[in-house]
Amino acid sequence: SAAPLEIRTRDGLARLESGRMMSRVHSDRTEVVAMEQSITLQPRALQSVILGAGEGASFSASGIAPLHGNPLHRAAWQQGMLAVDDWALAEVAQALPAYFPGFIRVSPAVSELRVFGIFRLEVDELLNTLAQILPVQVRRLGPLISIDTKSLR
């Protein structure tokens, strides 16, 4: 039988015996999703936890939290889509740098707005849609995109 897959980050270890998993390292945490089989998570300072197929978690060296919404939707990028189910607007913006060569700044005033939907991973189209469905305005200055509260005119 094949050796297990182990992904080590500064936050700890994710171990998969077989099947598929997804992982993403952020500046303050690591996210993992068990796509088909269970994953064993071992944060640096905590007891190990087993995630069943279809479950996802965000972990750091000192804590574990379940991912919001349906963790399996995070695989939508494989079909050129971004599926978000109760994500904060700031989380949506954090998912975009892989598809956009600039910097996206989200104002703290709107960063916790909740987003639901399935969007094509065309960043301009996605941002225009967010500006239509949320009380935000999107401004672009070269490679910088700013998302802030919608101004009253």
Side-chain angles (χ1 to χ4, degrees):
S1 104
L5 171 66
E6 292 186 347
I7 297 176
R8 295 179 189 272
T9 70
R10 70 182 173 290
D11 300 308
L13 170 77
R15 179 184 178 105
L16 175 71
E17 296 294 331
S18 67
R20 295 183 309 137
M21 69 176 283
M22 288 191 333
S23 64
R24 183 169 186 196
V25 178
H26 297 272
S27 62
D28 60 344
R29 68 194 185 285
T30 299
E31 292 181 355
V32 295
V33 176
M35 302 296 290
E36 299 167 348
Q37 304 290 329
S38 63
I39 298 174
T40 301
L41 288 184
Q42 179 62 64
R44 293 206 184 279
L46 297 174
Q47 295 286 331
S48 64
V49 172
I50 295 177
L51 297 179
E55 294 181 330
S58 175
F59 71 103
S60 65
S62 60
I64 299 176
L67 294 177
H68 293 292
N70 182 340
L72 293 176
H73 287 169
R74 293 172 189 257
W77 63 268
Q78 295 171 343
Q79 284 78 42
M81 305 296 281
L82 178 66
V84 298
D85 184 6
D86 194 26
W87 290 20
L89 180 56
E91 289 178 277
V92 174
Q94 287 175 355
L96 298 179
Y99 312 99
F100 172 71
F103 178 77
I104 300 174
R105 181 197 167 276
V106 179
S107 163
V110 296
S111 66
E112 292 302 315
L113 288 175
R114 307 315 289 179
V115 182
F116 299 83
I118 299 174
F119 307 93
R120 286 180 353 114
L121 275 171
E122 299 292 334
V123 174
D124 288 331
E125 178 183 315
L126 190 152
L127 293 171
N128 288 338
T129 300
L130 290 176
Q132 292 172 11
I133 64 174
L134 296 173
V136 299
Q137 68 180 10
V138 176
R139 283 187 249 155
R140 182 186 288 262
L141 282 111
L144 172 66
I145 292 176
S146 175
I147 304 174
D148 208 340
T149 55
K150 192 171 278 188
S151 62
L152 301 173
R153 292 182 184 185

